Amino acid sequence: MNSHVLYLALGTYRVRATREHVQELAASGSRVSLVVLDAPEWREALRELGRLDGVDVVRVAPGRDGTAWASAKKLAAAKSGPFAQADVVVAGDAQALPVAWIAKRRRPGVELRLEPHGAGRVVEPADLAVLTPWYPSPNNPYAGSFVQAATAAVAGQFARVSVLHTEDWSGRASAPLNDAIRVTVDRLQERRALGHVLDADEGTILRVPVPLIHRRLYAPWVNAQVKAARSALPTGQIEAPVVHAHTGIYGGVLAARLARPDARVVVTEHSSFLDKVFAQRPAVRMYQEMLERADAVMCVSAALREQIVGRFPEYAHKIGVVPNAVDLDRFTPGGDRSPELLRWLYIGRLVQPKGVGELLEAFAVVAADEPRATLTMVGHGPVEEELRARAAELGLGERFRILPPVAPEAVGPLMHEYDLLVHASKRETFGMTVVEAIASGLPVLATRSGGPEETLAGIESAAGALMDVSDDPQVIVDAYRALRARATELDLPAARTALEGRVGCEAVAKQLVEVYGGALPPVPSAASAASEEEAAASVAADSGAREAAEAEETGAAVVRRDGEPVGRAVVLALTPAKPRRIVDFANHLVGKGVEVTLVTAAAPLLWERLELDPSVPVVSVGDAEKKLRIPRAERFLVYRAPRAVLRRARRLAARNREAIGPELAVATVQRAHTKVANAFHKKVFNRGYKEVRPQLFARIAQRRVLPELGLDRVDTVFVSDINSTVTGWKWAKSHPHLKVTTSLDRTAYDPE
């Protein structure tokens, strides 16, 4: 390739990929004009790239919004300069896509790519298709190495293997730039221009960028992946009889929606964030969709399986355990290590759930008695600077250091330089580095955090030691000293041999191929059929039985009189300012044996998310309030009617599928309307509406709530917010026997 390449990288998320791509282009003889955002994140890379022959660096100054959107557009409009000279335009990140589109439109002969290689090819049908959100790539060569290992392990069993990698293209963008990215992505997906096909030893890789700036919720992110992946597939579906998806909420949902109806769908679950997934109702529905479609689900540990079965017991029959495949042949035992185990190593993300804070504190205790002790952490993460600052406070100096992540092939040689791997994670689905350490002949000290204790079951004393999960650094200190006292008794070769039979590529590949062929993944012996039935029964048990069991365990007094509750209460929480306080109070009353009903205008999902006791009926008046004339009129005039007009205008603007300017102009008006409408709603409408809202709630309660409640059987009404006061007052007048109070008195039902 001896062309003039314009490489655009206008964000800061894909610095590593840009560096590798530009080096490739320069090595191939191409002239490269590299246009990048002038930001600190680029300084080191630009020093390196600026020295390459044939590479010109153009820094684009950020605007007030911190992005290069405005200045890059001006550069693209210039009649001379890098945009006017290029034969190929490479959009290296999400922020560059709109500018690349503009450049392509102004010079139709320019070729637009997202990577230097692989454009124009289409993925062909395969015998095995692997779906994953993580796979080694130029921007993150370490992500998904376990997926690559599993794929390589079974690749020899299939003539054609394809890997569909939905790659995260993220980063910061202002609202106008975000609109431009969305519009440009739509255009590119229509033209099936987002997929690049590359060749690797294990098969063909279809890498599909998924540009999405804001990612707070799982469901929209998964939908974006589905749309992007479908656009990159020639037939819109995965042409393979066997589809192996990694992670249920990502690859698994994609497989459920994109696999052929006759395909066998197998999912490997190794997510450590399922609790967050299960906290979002749309994501839970997606996960259930995946479980329904999947033929087999393989968890990398029994602890992870228990988490899923506990949430979805009806699918327990298809959920089993198959560990991650680890290519142990990549690791060779190092030389003799000091039995004093003074050189500590940690490899992983620098985040608090990994226990890195406690690890540093524990090391400081040991270092006070051992002047030669050192601790090295290898990785990146949000608490990196916090760790450095704390180490300085502790006076550790050069005895503590943080190194950047290393390539997978460099992990083994790195481990040869240390005496002990310490892994203090709070929760671990598998624990890859623990296995790699043992394969390298490095003793391990790991927490009983799920995966590691399963992987090391029966060989922990030969490989090192396990310790309890704790926030107390002294637990690590004590475990280290106990391990050091018997360091000469360790047998790392025997531990490695045992791991070969458990997680080695050959052993895991055999299990995977069996599952691909129709077998179900093995279930841990502890989870017998009887225990599965017990788990399902536990989930289906009535709330009264659960309350009694919990009360017996905690010592709470649940008093029943001839089967009757000790009292009946209504909690009026129409618009609570502190809903968690309401939930705690209601659950407290339930624990005392009180029959509680919650009356609210808030969404039922709020109370479910805050873990309101399931025995508490939630009577919602939110829908009834929305039907009132005043809020309906405001919603129509301020929101719905203008939005309908703007949506129509945007559809008309979008008819021109070459230009993005008209659609972006309407998007700007849409954002302005939302801002003005919200300001009117908050500063004008709400100020007047709040004066009449308590009265309106009282009327709704009279018509909709009272017939359902049966206040004659209620003894106490707890009023928790200002909008509930009128309702409570009217109930007190019409039902003299009621005790109506604004105090959330936890002693209200205490025995006298």
Side-chain angles (χ1 to χ4, degrees):
M1 181 189 297
N2 294 312
S3 55
H4 187 165
V5 179
L6 172 64
Y7 197 107
L8 302 173
L10 303 178
T12 58
Y13 186 72
R14 289 178 54 79
V15 175
R16 190 190 298 268
T18 298
R19 178 161 46 193
E20 181 169 325
H21 288 161
V22 172
Q23 288 173 340
E24 287 181 16
L25 290 167
S28 70
S30 297
R31 287 183 54 204
V32 182
S33 294
L34 173 60
V35 180
V36 300
L37 176 69
D38 191 1
E41 291 85 349
W42 283 101
R43 289 173 186 165
E44 181 180 347
L46 294 183
R47 278 197 297 269
E48 179 181 347
L49 297 176
R51 293 193 293 265
L52 297 178
D53 292 337
V55 176
D56 298 320
V57 176
V58 179
R59 293 179 173 86
V60 183
R64 292 182 178 179
D65 60 0
T67 73
W69 173 226
S71 51
K73 283 192 296 182
K74 292 180 181 178
L75 190 62
K79 294 183 179 180
S80 61
F83 281 81
Q85 301 168 5
D87 305 309
V88 177
V89 176
V90 178
D93 54 21
Q95 292 81 353
L97 288 172
V99 181
W101 180 271
I102 293 172
K104 168 68 175 174
R105 184 167 183 267
R106 289 177 175 169
R107 296 187 58 207
V110 170
E111 182 182 358
L112 174 58
R113 299 180 181 179
L114 275 67
E115 292 193 16
H117 308 292
R121 291 179 59 185
V122 296
V123 65
E124 297 179 354
D127 302 302
L128 169 68
V130 177
L131 273 73
T132 175
W134 308 305
Y135 210 74
S137 68
N139 201 55
N140 195 340
Y142 320 127
S145 58
F146 46 87
V147 180
Q148 186 180 42
T151 305
V154 300
Q157 305 294 321
F158 298 89
R160 300 171 300 175
V161 177
S162 64
V163 177
L164 175 55
H165 173 207
T166 50
E167 186 177 21
D168 178 13
W169 277 29
S170 189
R172 188 165 65 98
S174 62
L177 178 54
N178 196 28
D179 289 338
I181 293 171
R182 291 176 184 272
V183 172
T184 307
V185 168
D186 285 342
R187 304 291 198 272
L188 291 170
Q189 289 177 344
E190 287 176 1
R191 291 160 172 75
R192 301 190 181 279
L194 282 187
H196 280 56
V197 179
L198 308 167
D199 294 318
D201 292 340
E202 61 273 16
T204 301
I205 300 174
L206 170 60
R207 186 173 293 129
V208 183
V210 186
L212 191 67
I213 299 304
H214 301 296
R215 190 182 65 181
R216 290 188 297 269
L217 302 174
Y218 289 103
W221 181 231
V222 173
N223 287 331
Q225 291 200 33
V226 172
K227 184 178 179 182
R230 182 179 282 119
S231 75
L233 295 167
T235 63
Q237 67 177 6
I238 300 166
E239 298 296 344
V242 179
V243 178
H244 183 179
H246 287 265
T247 72
I249 193 62
Y250 291 133
V253 176
L254 266 66
R257 297 185 182 180
L258 300 178
R260 294 186 332 211
D262 64 328
R264 179 169 175 81
V265 173
V266 176
V267 179
T268 290
E269 184 58 272
H270 34 64
S271 301
S272 59
F273 50 83
L274 282 185
D275 51 342
K276 296 179 181 178
V277 173
F278 293 163
Q280 299 178 13
R281 179 175 291 183
V284 170
R285 288 197 294 266
M286 283 185 168
Y287 206 89
Q288 186 166 14
E289 170 192 347
M290 177 276 296
L291 290 171
E292 183 67 28
R293 173 62 180 89
D295 296 286
V297 177
M298 304 175 292
C299 300
V300 297
S301 66
L304 191 54
R305 179 184 184 274
E306 291 172 6
Q307 184 180 6
I308 301 173
V309 172
R311 185 65 177 79
F312 300 100
E314 64 272 29
Y315 298 104
H317 63 283
K318 63 170 70 173
I319 304 174
V321 176
V322 175
N324 279 325
V326 183
D327 185 2
L328 299 180
D329 291 338
R330 292 194 298 112
F331 301 90
T332 58
D336 294 336
R337 291 183 169 83
S338 168
E340 295 178 296
L341 307 180
L342 294 177
R343 296 176 297 171
W344 291 16
L345 174 67
Y346 165 81
I347 300 178
R349 293 192 64 212
L350 301 181
V351 294
Q352 194 49 49
K354 293 292 187 180
V356 289
E358 291 82 354
L359 173 55
L360 178 59
E361 298 291 340
F363 172 74
V365 174
V366 172
D369 297 328
E370 298 289 348
R372 293 177 293 120
T374 63
L375 169 61
T376 300
M377 293 186 178
V378 179
H380 283 318
V383 300
E384 181 173 345
E385 293 308 315
E386 180 182 331
L387 291 170
R388 294 185 192 276
R390 180 57 180 157
E393 291 177 4
L394 294 169
L396 295 177
E398 297 299 322
R399 301 172 67 189
F400 170 75
R401 60 177 180 162
I402 297 178
L403 302 180
V406 298
E409 61 271 14
V411 171
L414 174 70
M415 289 180 170
H416 292 166
E417 301 174 12
Y418 296 90
D419 300 324
L420 178 68
L421 179 86
V422 187
H423 198 72
S425 180
K426 310 292 184 182
R427 184 175 182 181
E428 202 69 53
T429 57
F430 183 74
M432 185 73 73
T433 57
V434 172
V435 176
E436 293 172 342
I438 297 170
S440 301
L442 180 63
V444 298
L445 177 60
T447 50
R448 297 183 178 89
S449 51
E453 61 190 298
E454 294 179 38
T455 305
L456 301 184
I459 61 171
E460 59 266 32
S461 59
L466 294 174
M467 56 187 171
D468 291 337
V469 174
S470 175
D471 295 332
D472 183 3
Q474 190 62 40
V475 172
I476 303 175
V477 174
D478 294 342
Y480 163 72
R481 288 173 174 163
L483 173 60
R484 179 175 169 177
R486 60 176 188 83
T488 56
E489 302 172 9
L490 301 179
D491 190 349
L492 273 300
R496 175 183 171 126
T497 300
L499 289 176
E500 283 279 8
R502 298 180 185 182
V503 301
C505 285
E506 184 177 347
V508 174
K510 180 179 179 181
Q511 295 184 66
L512 291 177
V513 171
E514 289 175 353
V515 176
Y516 293 161
L520 290 175
V523 176
S525 58
S528 62
S531 64
E532 297 289 5
E533 294 176 2
E534 291 172 4
S538 175
V539 171
D542 64 274
S543 60
R546 284 198 303 272
E547 292 163 15
E550 291 170 1
E552 182 177 352
E553 183 178 339
T554 60
V558 179
V559 182
R560 305 273 180 179
R561 301 191 187 105
D562 299 326
E564 289 294 310
V566 299
R568 290 186 172 90
V570 172
V571 178
L572 276 174
L574 293 172
T575 57
K578 298 179 179 179
R580 187 173 297 279
R581 178 170 173 250
I582 305 302
V583 168
D584 291 342
F585 178 69
N587 290 347
H588 174 77
L589 294 183
V590 170
K592 286 189 170 185
V594 180
E595 186 179 281
V596 181
T597 301
L598 178 67
V599 179
T600 183
L605 178 61
L606 169 67
W607 308 106
E608 180 181 328
R609 188 169 66 247
L610 295 177
E611 298 182 355
L612 177 68
D613 192 289
S615 69
V616 177
V618 178
V619 180
S620 177
V621 300
D623 290 340
E625 184 190 16
K626 292 178 182 178
K627 295 177 182 178
L628 295 175
R629 292 180 181 178
I630 296 176
R632 284 178 62 192
E634 193 249 358
R635 286 197 304 274
F636 177 77
L637 294 173
V638 177
Y639 287 100
R640 291 181 178 174
R643 282 176 175 172
V645 172
L646 290 172
R647 281 196 300 269
R648 174 64 176 167
R650 188 160 182 173
R651 284 195 295 269
L652 292 174
R655 288 182 178 178
N656 184 348
R657 305 309 289 174
E658 294 298 326
I660 63 175
E663 190 173 351
L664 292 182
V666 179
T668 300
V669 178
Q670 286 178 314
R671 283 188 286 102
H673 162 257
T674 299
K675 185 177 181 179
V676 172
N678 289 342
F680 175 85
H681 178 77
K682 181 179 180 180
K683 297 180 180 180
V684 179
F685 176 78
N686 279 352
R687 287 181 180 178
Y689 185 60
K690 71 178 183 180
E691 301 298 329
V692 299
R693 197 178 188 193
Q695 297 287 347
L696 295 175
F697 273 135
R699 293 180 187 178
I700 294 172
Q702 182 70 24
R703 296 195 308 267
R704 302 291 182 90
V705 179
L706 284 181
E708 184 175 342
L709 281 183
L711 285 181
D712 292 338
R713 297 182 296 111
V714 174
D715 52 71
T716 308
V717 175
F718 296 94
V719 178
S720 67
D721 62 279
I722 189 67
N723 284 314
S724 302
T725 53
V726 174
T727 301
W729 176 69
K730 290 191 174 184
W731 286 2
K733 285 186 62 178
S734 59
H735 296 79
H737 76 284
L738 277 179
K739 177 184 177 182
V740 180
T741 176
T742 58
S743 172
L744 301 185
D745 184 7
R746 290 175 174 258
T747 66
Y749 289 93
D750 285 352
E752 296 182 358

